[in-house]
Amino acid sequence: MLDGLKTGLRAALKKIVNSSAVDEGLIRELSKDIQRALLQSDVNVKLVFQITKNLEERSIKETPPPGLSRKDHIVKILYEELSKLLGTEEQYVFQPGRVNKVLMLGIQGSGKTTVTSKLAKLLTRQGYRVAVVGADTYRPGALTQLKTMCEKTNVEVYGEEGNKDSPEIVKNGLKHFEGQNFDIILIDTAGRHKEEKDLLEEMTRIGAVANPDLALLIIDGTIGQQCYGQAEAFHKTVPVGGIIITKLDSSAKGGGALAAAAATGAQIMYIGTGERIDDLEKFSPTRFVGRMLGMGDIQALLDMAKRLETEGNEDRLKRISHGKMNMEDFYFQIEEATKAGGLRNILENMPGFSGMVKEDQVEQQEQRMEKWRYIIQSMTKDEKSDPDLINASRVKRIARGSGWPEHEVKELLKAYKNSKTMMKASKGRQMQGMLRKMGLG
């Protein structure tokens, strides 16, 4: 994703990391390299100069906080400035106990129908009950495509083949799904252009009928800075509450698209990173920038460290580091990994792990961790304090309580024991062995 920008930013950072000393000359050189990388990715010139100006001023004037070297502090400043460029970290929350109506908008060719089916799958995986109304009456085969893609995830699609009245289809679709206990209804509409007055007028009528809780604008990432004008035009028709950027996997202009979308003030909520049905993910500026710089989610890790200090977990950390942890401590580790953006980000930040962990292995481990949380919650207080108490009959009871098979409970107990052993191990030479014990090597 955005390979050119990623390569440019990492090359710029390498100069700082590999330098023997940091002075003003090196900071200005870094600033110019960052400028070049951002401009080549079609980020607005004014924004680029603002970022690099802030980077220079802060790097020269600020004193690094305790525990951070000057080099690390400069990297942190760059991370913060780039994250700020890409918008807020706040997440939109769907309201529980009611139907959330989401209107899908976009220019023709932005991949709106595909994104609607991808979003339906993503939300379904998150536990929401999702239905879809297909109201694109202009593109031949749009309803068929939508139904075919949504069938794979058992999401029902309402549409009326042959009816050209989009607002009427939306009205009938919402009535059809009424009282069926859905959490979210996605409404797919025809692609339109900011100059097409008739279509925009129709969109106003659809908006009046649907009365959406959220309007999501889908934008093609390959158009770069033009995102801004498109988002502005749509916003005047139906207030845009969130943006989805597609085709970031192939775009040299992806940085420009992200920056321009964020500049509209509407939150970038999701990004499309490929053609597969699963290639849609929630957008987090901090995590995205961390991945671009090759450092995982730095901010989440810093927050985690701060939280551990303020919450008085010194005794727990001492137990963990000495390999004397109990199952509650192990659960605590899983919770913290989740808060810090997942296992992948933690591993990416640990010295010596870079490039050693395969993507599919991390995904498998993260899925295991999700199961383990439920299994641990099904244990008694005594079992959490002393997992050695857990015998065959207790394994059966825990399995029944958690809803997972017995072999999953045994897998957790094995991982817990390995983790205890691992915490006693030294770094460096034993890193490969640690990976193997975590199921990643």
Side-chain angles (χ1 to χ4, degrees):
M1 178 189 331
L2 306 171
D3 287 337
L5 179 57
K6 188 189 288 186
T7 304
L9 290 173
R10 290 187 184 185
L13 275 183
K14 207 170 179 183
K15 287 185 183 176
I16 286 280
V17 173
N18 293 341
S19 63
S20 53
V22 177
D23 56 23
E24 287 189 22
L26 189 65
I27 290 168
R28 292 203 168 90
E29 197 179 325
L30 170 69
S31 179
K32 282 178 185 170
D33 289 341
I34 299 295
Q35 276 179 10
R36 196 177 303 115
L38 291 172
L39 289 170
Q40 284 172 353
S41 190
D42 198 43
V43 179
N44 178 277
V45 175
K46 192 176 174 184
L47 289 174
V48 171
F49 283 108
Q50 187 59 55
I51 284 172
T52 49
K53 184 187 172 196
N54 291 350
L55 173 65
E56 279 187 40
E57 285 182 359
R58 290 183 62 191
S59 297
I60 291 167
K61 291 178 183 175
E62 286 184 15
T63 304
L68 267 193
S69 67
R70 195 169 181 208
K71 283 184 192 179
D72 290 338
H73 187 51
I74 291 169
V75 172
K76 182 174 174 284
I77 290 168
L78 173 61
Y79 170 82
E80 288 171 349
E81 292 298 329
L82 288 172
S83 299
K84 207 188 298 176
L85 166 74
L86 298 181
T88 174
E89 191 66 38
E90 284 178 32
Q91 294 292 335
Y92 179 85
V93 179
F94 292 104
Q95 296 303 308
R98 50 166 295 201
V99 178
N100 294 261
K101 292 171 289 184
V102 181
L103 195 57
M104 309 294 281
L105 316 171
I107 299 288
Q108 197 165 355
S110 59
K112 188 170 40 51
T113 298
T114 303
V115 167
T116 301
S117 52
K118 286 181 176 183
L119 183 58
K121 179 171 185 184
L122 179 66
L123 294 171
T124 301
R125 283 175 61 190
Q126 290 172 354
Y128 294 107
R129 294 195 68 227
V130 183
V132 177
V133 175
D136 181 349
T137 59
Y138 285 83
R139 187 167 64 85
L143 183 58
T144 304
Q145 181 195 356
L146 188 61
K147 283 183 173 179
T148 303
M149 294 188 77
C150 286
E151 268 173 16
K152 296 171 185 173
T153 43
N154 296 317
V155 170
E156 186 185 346
V157 176
Y158 177 89
E160 297 177 16
E161 208 74 70
N163 188 352
K164 294 295 180 185
D165 189 337
S166 297
E168 185 179 54
I169 293 170
V170 171
K171 182 181 176 183
N172 294 343
L174 292 175
K175 195 170 182 181
H176 171 77
F177 290 123
E178 213 171 79
Q180 292 191 46
N181 205 26
F182 284 106
D183 302 307
I184 300 167
I185 296 177
L186 304 178
I187 303 166
D188 184 29
T189 62
R192 52 207 76 217
H193 192 272
K194 62 179 181 178
E195 305 302 334
E196 294 173 320
K197 290 190 169 59
D198 289 349
L199 278 173
L200 288 174
E201 189 185 313
E202 181 192 73
M203 181 54 65
T204 306
R205 287 191 289 124
I206 289 174
V209 169
N211 188 23
D213 300 281
L214 173 67
L216 282 178
L217 177 61
I218 292 89
I219 294 183
D220 183 334
T222 62
I223 67 170
Q225 294 181 47
Q226 294 173 47
C227 274
Y228 190 91
Q230 285 191 7
E232 209 173 33
F234 272 89
H235 193 61
K236 286 174 185 171
T237 308
V238 176
V240 174
I243 291 176
I244 300 178
I245 310 262
T246 63
K247 305 179 189 176
L248 282 176
D249 55 320
S250 58
S251 172
K253 294 185 172 185
L258 287 163
T264 65
Q267 185 187 359
I268 303 172
M269 287 180 60
Y270 302 94
I271 53 173
T273 57
E275 294 179 6
R276 294 178 306 128
I277 190 81
D278 293 315
D279 292 335
L280 186 76
E281 61 182 68
K282 261 189 173 183
F283 180 68
S284 158
T286 53
R287 192 174 302 175
F288 185 82
V289 170
R291 279 180 359 209
M292 294 288 289
L293 299 178
M295 332 189 117
D297 191 346
I298 306 171
Q299 190 59 51
L301 289 172
L302 291 173
D303 289 347
M304 182 173 102
K306 194 173 180 182
R307 202 163 54 244
L308 295 181
E309 282 176 27
T310 56
E311 289 179 2
N313 283 303
E314 293 86 356
D315 292 342
R316 184 192 295 279
L317 291 174
K318 203 175 283 182
R319 280 200 308 274
I320 291 171
S321 62
H322 286 83
K324 295 178 180 176
M325 67 179 177
N326 56 34
M327 192 58 81
E328 285 180 325
D329 298 329
F330 188 60
Y331 180 65
F332 167 83
Q333 286 180 285
I334 294 172
E335 288 286 288
E336 290 303 322
T338 306
K339 288 175 192 171
L343 181 70
R344 180 187 292 102
N345 286 331
I346 289 180
L347 291 176
E348 283 175 357
N349 279 278
M350 290 175 71
F353 275 68
S354 179
M356 291 166 65
V357 183
K358 291 177 184 173
E359 189 76 12
D360 60 337
Q361 291 174 319
V362 174
E363 282 178 13
Q364 286 168 16
Q365 186 66 12
E366 284 183 330
Q367 285 166 9
R368 279 187 213 126
M369 285 165 67
E370 192 59 33
K371 294 174 192 172
W372 292 348
R373 292 172 67 187
Y374 292 110
I375 292 169
I376 293 169
Q377 285 168 344
S378 299
M379 293 179 183
T380 65
K381 192 174 179 182
D382 287 343
E383 287 165 349
K384 287 178 191 172
S385 299
D386 184 8
D388 290 336
L389 291 172
I390 300 174
N391 54 22
S393 62
R394 287 178 186 252
V395 166
K396 281 182 184 174
R397 194 206 76 251
I398 293 165
R400 279 198 307 272
S402 67
W404 291 103
E406 288 177 39
H407 71 84
E408 296 285 2
V409 181
K410 290 172 184 173
E411 184 73 31
L412 164 64
L413 292 170
K414 182 182 171 186
Y416 159 76
K417 285 169 184 169
N418 284 340
S419 186
K420 272 186 83 167
T421 307
M422 186 181 76
M423 289 303 169
K424 291 178 182 176
S426 62
K427 297 175 184 175
R429 290 192 310 275
Q430 296 190 19
M431 198 65 80
Q432 286 282 4
M434 289 162 69
L435 274 171
R436 277 196 296 276
K437 285 179 180 177
M438 292 176 76
L440 297 168

